[in-house]
Amino acid sequence: MSADMSERLSVLRDEALNCAEFGENAPGAEIFDAILTRLAHLGETDPGLDLSLQDGLSRRLAWGESPATIIVDCDLVCKRLIAAVQRSFPDPSEAIVVFAIITDVACTSSRHIARMAVQRSSSERALERRELMVQRQLSAALEHQEDLIRKLQA
């Protein structure tokens, strides 16, 4: 059943990712792929960590996209996919299963992005503190040199 649902959901890829506007490299493709993967393996195992989803999100953050932009892309993909599923899945029990997976992947994505943003901000804060410390040491060294120069001139 889940393989059939996964195949039916994969047909909705272009609509969910808005490929007409963005082409094949649409933002949020990693979200859609994670939803398809979870649906394909529904009932087989505990989903646990989806490393390909985390890798895709981390890659987007590493390339300089803001966390807010990635979350908005995730939200848009999920909204378009929910609308498409409502039209394409006539059985409400199947639609509910897909909605639960969409929600789970969206929450997992948001959690990962938040964790990465916190890590980035703590790294940036540590870098700022180190830079401030180096500037203070440099100022102290310059003051010491100025004192030595004054003593030598006197």
Side-chain angles (χ1 to χ4, degrees):
M1 179 170 132
S2 64
D4 177 51
M5 287 172 46
S6 178
E7 288 174 14
R8 289 176 25 212
L9 190 67
S10 67
V11 172
L12 304 175
R13 180 182 183 85
D14 290 348
E15 183 177 351
L17 296 177
N18 199 10
C19 288
E21 182 178 339
F22 295 108
E24 286 301 312
N25 296 326
E30 63 276 353
I31 306 293
F32 187 82
D33 293 340
I35 292 168
L36 272 181
T37 301
R38 283 230 183 133
L39 189 58
H41 300 290
L42 183 67
E44 292 178 13
T45 61
D46 180 32
L49 294 175
D50 187 348
L51 297 178
S52 62
L53 173 63
Q54 289 185 2
D55 183 48
L57 295 171
S58 297
R59 189 177 315 113
R60 288 181 67 183
L61 286 168
W63 279 102
E65 287 189 55
S66 73
T69 302
I70 298 171
I71 288 175
V72 166
D73 289 343
C74 175
D75 183 49
L76 292 173
V77 167
C78 290
K79 284 180 181 177
R80 288 190 296 256
L81 188 56
I82 286 171
V85 167
Q86 286 175 335
R87 286 191 316 275
S88 302
F89 284 68
D91 183 8
S93 63
E94 288 180 342
I96 288 173
V97 169
V98 176
F99 295 156
I101 291 172
I102 292 170
T103 304
D104 187 41
V105 169
C107 290
T108 301
S109 301
S110 298
R111 191 171 39 252
H112 179 69
I113 292 167
R115 189 176 350 166
M116 294 299 294
V118 167
Q119 287 175 352
R120 179 186 288 178
S121 68
S122 66
S123 297
E124 289 173 357
R125 176 77 175 143
L127 182 64
E128 288 173 9
R129 306 269 290 162
R130 280 192 297 268
E131 186 176 327
L132 182 61
M133 184 180 68
V134 168
Q135 287 177 356
R136 286 181 184 162
Q137 289 173 347
L138 182 59
S139 294
L142 288 174
E143 287 176 14
H144 180 69
Q145 284 181 349
E146 287 174 357
D147 288 342
L148 288 175
I149 291 172
R150 276 191 223 113
K151 286 180 184 177
L152 290 173
Q153 290 176 346

